[in-house]
Amino acid sequence: MKYAAYLWSAGTICLVLIVVLLIWINKLDNRMRSLGDPNSGALTALQDSLKRVQADLTSAKELAPGLGEYDSVARG
């Protein structure tokens, strides 16, 4: 009789632990998904910033004097 009571209590404790672990895993999964959302926004902002820097670099290269302009100044 005592053996059956111990067996039932051990089974109940295991069942409670399994339920608690499943709830914990679900909360962690939701937290991981919510952490991924802001990163996609930050990645988009970083890509936009990179495009602006590349455009600024291209315009700076177009404004810089070329080799022919340096040569004409030196011969000047």
Side-chain angles (χ1 to χ4, degrees):
M1 188 82 150
K2 285 186 179 182
Y3 179 73
Y6 291 140
L7 189 61
W8 277 105
S9 29
T12 304
I13 290 172
C14 287
L15 184 63
V16 168
L17 286 175
I18 289 172
V19 169
V20 168
L21 286 175
L22 287 175
I23 292 171
W24 187 46
I25 288 171
N26 189 23
K27 285 183 180 181
L28 287 177
D29 183 49
N30 290 338
R31 188 179 297 173
M32 290 297 293
R33 289 181 189 200
S34 68
L35 287 176
D37 293 338
N39 288 339
S40 63
L43 182 61
T44 303
L46 184 61
Q47 287 173 341
D48 291 342
S49 175
L50 181 61
K51 287 179 185 178
R52 280 191 303 256
V53 168
Q54 287 174 338
D56 290 345
L57 182 62
T58 302
S59 65
K61 283 181 181 179
E62 291 172 357
L63 294 175
L67 184 59
E69 292 167 347
Y70 282 123
D71 190 38
S72 64
V73 171
R75 291 179 191 212

